[in-house]
């Protein structure tokens, strides 16, 4: 979005959404950690650095009682993340900030600790490859980290030596022997993830005088030395007594395929045992019950060209021992609330083990639900706990079971910490590190009925002054996924930035969207260009019939699957005056084998279905100006999609380049961005070019492109 005069005059913009610099400066809250005694609640806050080029994160402590103001408890140039409380109340986190005890060492992402009784944070452990995820047992002095090792390393010292040699010799090559080879924006290998136990180490100088705050050294014990690539993107939980880790584990299959099985790792011995492994099913661990006897298991069925995935909850009786290790899970795997037509995400047990808290997409929101855990033969009861139209994440439960805490967001506010009364469902916003950003406009829930009689819901964000006398131009925004929903605040696709420029933004949930039942997903499965496309057009028709919408000035925009759909729209209708397509699928035959997870995609459509739904076969019909946006580091939708789309628009569309090489289409290319545009300075460019393109084609205005483009 182009800079406004407020930057040069020093005037404050009407809202942060009227000036991109102010918008990017809004603090960003993420993650929650609750101390075992329930007295401390910690979150992470990202703040834009002085150069406006990256977000610097810090840990903040919130008052669970909602009485004291939030306070910052860490501060460094490198930032902090991944906070977890140990059983003794100590707060562990990761940071790449320099260790004051070893200022000459190269900074890596190390394990830091803030003592429970206060004081300065110190490095608990540092290693050449850094550490990432942290896990702590609820009722025992047991801490675990995930960290990567070079595949051929024999121990920690050898791993450090190998890393040093690779760095000094500037070797970046990777020799692969399996699949996949990359993920989202990361090249996989030669590092492989492992799970480690953090344990007491040997004092290098026993008996040497020291101050009373001197901490005993710790070391890592590799619990999964033979895991290979099995723990990539794994989800892991720890039992309350710290004796067992439960983790998803990628099992390789013939033909470069894989599926996810569930394993148990005995901490004492490092023995790994497969608990659940069934053909056609993927397993993921949820939380372990307070008594340690029951594990929540989330299952996701593998897709076929005819059948969408189904996501279900189960309970695994851990006391059943070896019976649980049968390939089909045995009798110990019990369905939980399978009659509930939603896709649940397990969050936390109530302390007495009587119920489970989950979140799930639900009709334009993602509330917190309570699912009772019935006695043998009983039926689980699902109760919606939060009544507002908001999305909840990071749910944690107080030790007394009276309250839960979560992050909550909606299209009216970014993520913020709240307290939830588990008796009444009442939510209370906790004193926050920053105030809610104000916006000017109104948000309405809208819907229509398709020709087939199906409900098509969505949101419509409107300028305050939109009316019959002053109808607003309309932007149709198509969400990605496609298995998702417009139901939570988004920094990347924020409607209020465009509403501040006078546009109305329509956010539909067409077929394939979650939160409306399995049938809503299934009716678009394998036929992206049919029901989802028609749903989008039907809700756009309904919006255009409103007197406060100008049906003569409309555009369509989308990213990822939304970009695919924008491409499909371009080849099947000329109703829009402009189309913005970001990180989009263009030629499905090309996309399938080149995406980072071809083994999943190629199960979703047959070659015939891919051809029937591929936008590139309709390029000759495109007569609408298109803005193509793509990042070179996008491995999910590889850059080849954007490059081919751009060439074919210029060579085959009805707005192909003329004899002077001129075209109405535009291509915004980011050499160092991925599926998302993450760097703040590039987000400014993204919005600036989008606004320029929309104004040119919808408003007949020639707004300048961002200065940073050098044009």
């Amino acid at each position: 979005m182009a800079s406004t005069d407020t930057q040069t005059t020093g005037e404050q913009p009407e809202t942060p959404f009227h000036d991109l610099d102010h918008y990017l400066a809004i603090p960003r809250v993420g993650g929650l950690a609750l101390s075992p005694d329930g007295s401390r609640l910690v979150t992470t806050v990202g703040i834009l650095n002085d150069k406006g080029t990256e977000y610097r994160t810090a840990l903040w402590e919130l008052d669970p009682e909602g009485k004291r103001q939030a306070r910052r408890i860490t501060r460094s140039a490198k930032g902090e993340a991944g906070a977890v409380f140990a059983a003794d109340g100590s707060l562990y986190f990761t940071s790449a900030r320099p260790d004051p005890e070893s200022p000459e060492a190269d900074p890596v992402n190390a394990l830091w600790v803030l003592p429970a009784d206060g004081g300065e944070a110190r490095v608990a452990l540092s290693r050449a490859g850094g550490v990432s995820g942290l896990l702590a047992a609820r009722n025992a002095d047991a801490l675990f980290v995930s960290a990567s090792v070079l595949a051929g390393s024999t121990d920690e010292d050898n791993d450090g030596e190998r890393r040093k040699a690779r760095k000094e010799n500037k070797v970046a090559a990777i020799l692969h022997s399996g699949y996949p080879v990359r993920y989202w924006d990361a090249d996989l290998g030669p590092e492989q993830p492992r799970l480690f136990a953090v344990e007491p180490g040997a004092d290098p100088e026993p008996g040497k005088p020291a101050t009373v705050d001197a901490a005993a050294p710790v070391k890592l014990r590799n619990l999964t030395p033979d895991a290979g690539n099995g723990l990539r993107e794994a989800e892991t939980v720890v039992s309350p007594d710290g004796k067992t880790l439960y983790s998803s584990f990628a099992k390789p299959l013939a033909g470069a395929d894989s599926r996810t099985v569930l394993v148990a790792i005995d901490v004492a011995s490092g023995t790994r045992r497969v608990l659940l492994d069934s053909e056609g099913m993927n397993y993921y661990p949820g939380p372990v019950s307070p008594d340690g006897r029951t594990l929540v298991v989330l299952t996701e069925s593998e897709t076929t060209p005819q059948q969408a995935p189904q996501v279900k909850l189960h309970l695994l009786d851990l006391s059943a021992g070896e019976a649980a290790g049968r390939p089909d899970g045995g009798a110990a795997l019990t369905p939980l609330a399978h009659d509930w037509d939603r896709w649940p995400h397990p969050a936390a047990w109530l302390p007495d083990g009587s119920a489970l808290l989950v979140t799930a997409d639900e009709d334009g929101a993602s509330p917190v639900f309570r699912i009772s855990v019935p006695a043998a033969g009983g039926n689980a009861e699902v109760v919606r706990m939060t009544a507002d139209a908001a999305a909840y994440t990071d749910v944690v439960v107080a030790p007394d079971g009276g309250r839960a805490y979560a992050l909550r967001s909606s299209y009216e506010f970014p993520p913020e910490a709240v307290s939830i009364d588990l008796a009444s469902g009442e939510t209370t916003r906790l004193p926050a590190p920053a105030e809610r950003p104000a916006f000017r406009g109104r948000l309405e829930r809208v819907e229509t009925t398709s020709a087939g009689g199906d409900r098509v819901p969505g949101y419509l964000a409107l300028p305050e002054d939109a009316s019959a006398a002053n109808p607003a131009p309309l932007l149709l925004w198509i969400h990605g996924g496609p298995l998702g929903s417009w139901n939570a605040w988004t920094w990347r696709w924020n409607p209020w930035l465009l509403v501040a420029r006078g546009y109305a933004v329509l956010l539909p949930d067409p077929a394939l969207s979650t939160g409306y039942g399995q049938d809503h997903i299934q009716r678009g499965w394998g036929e992206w260009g049919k029901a989802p496309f028609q749903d989008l057009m039907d809700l756009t028709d309904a919006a255009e019939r409103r007197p406060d919408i100008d049906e003569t000035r409309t555009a369509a925009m989308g990213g990822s699957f939304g970009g695919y759909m924008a491409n499909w729209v371009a080849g099947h209708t000329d109703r829009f005056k402009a189309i913005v397509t970001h990180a989009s699928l263009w030629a499905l035959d090309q996309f399938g084998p080149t995406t980072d997870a071809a083994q999943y995609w190629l199960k979703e459509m047959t070659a015939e279905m891919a051809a029937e739904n591929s936008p590139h076969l309709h390029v000759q019909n495109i007569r609408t100006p298109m803005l193509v946006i793509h990042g070179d580091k996008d491995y999910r939708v590889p850059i080849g999609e954007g490059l081919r789309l751009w060439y074919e628009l210029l060579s085959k569309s009805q707005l192909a380049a003329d004899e002077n090489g001129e075209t109405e289409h535009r291509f915004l290319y980011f050499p160092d961005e991925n599926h998302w545009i993450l760097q703040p300075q590039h987000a400014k460019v993204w919005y600036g070019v989008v606004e320029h393109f929309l104004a040119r084609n919808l408003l007949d205005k020639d707004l300048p492109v961002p200065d940073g483009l050098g044009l």
Side-chain angles (χ1 to χ4, degrees), residues 10 15 62 75 84 122 170 172 175 192-193 275 395 474 481 557 676 706:
T15 75
L62 312 176
R75 188 181 302 270
V84 299
R122 62 171 179 83
K170 300 185 184 301
L175 177 63
Q192 296 177 339
L275 296 180
V395 180
L474 180 69
M557 301 172 58
W676 306 274

Side-chain angles (χ1 to χ4, degrees), residues 41 99 319 377 566 570 665 700:
L41 190 63
D99 181 0
S319 65
H665 302 305
D700 198 25

Side-chain angles (χ1 to χ4, degrees), residues 267-424:
V267 172
S269 65
T271 303
R272 185 172 69 252
R273 182 167 60 96
V274 175
L275 296 180
L276 296 168
D277 177 6
S278 300
E279 185 176 352
M281 191 65 68
N282 296 286
Y283 297 95
Y284 304 92
V288 184
S289 62
D291 62 8
R293 300 183 61 181
T294 306
L295 175 69
V296 178
V297 177
L298 187 75
T299 62
E300 181 176 341
S301 61
E302 289 190 354
T303 64
T304 70
Q306 293 76 35
Q307 184 63 52
Q310 296 195 36
V311 177
K312 298 292 186 180
L313 283 178
H314 303 260
L315 299 178
L316 182 63
D317 182 0
L318 299 174
S319 65
E322 294 299 324
R326 287 173 46 185
D328 63 356
L333 193 63
T334 304
L336 182 66
H338 279 201
D339 293 336
W340 185 36
D341 195 13
R342 293 295 180 266
W343 284 8
H345 304 279
W349 287 83
L350 295 189
D352 63 2
S354 64
L356 183 71
L357 297 185
V358 307
T359 60
D361 289 352
E362 166 85 352
D363 199 7
S366 187
V368 176
F369 296 87
R370 184 183 66 238
I371 303 179
S372 62
V373 176
N379 295 319
E381 180 185 18
V382 180
V383 177
R384 179 169 174 167
M385 299 297 298
T386 55
D388 52 359
Y392 289 78
T393 63
D394 301 273
V395 180
V396 293
V397 179
D400 64 4
R403 284 183 292 180
Y405 305 95
L407 295 185
R408 172 185 68 178
S409 77
S410 77
Y411 284 110
E412 296 180 317
F413 48 85
E416 59 187 23
V418 297
S419 171
I420 306 168
D421 186 306
L422 293 180
S424 66

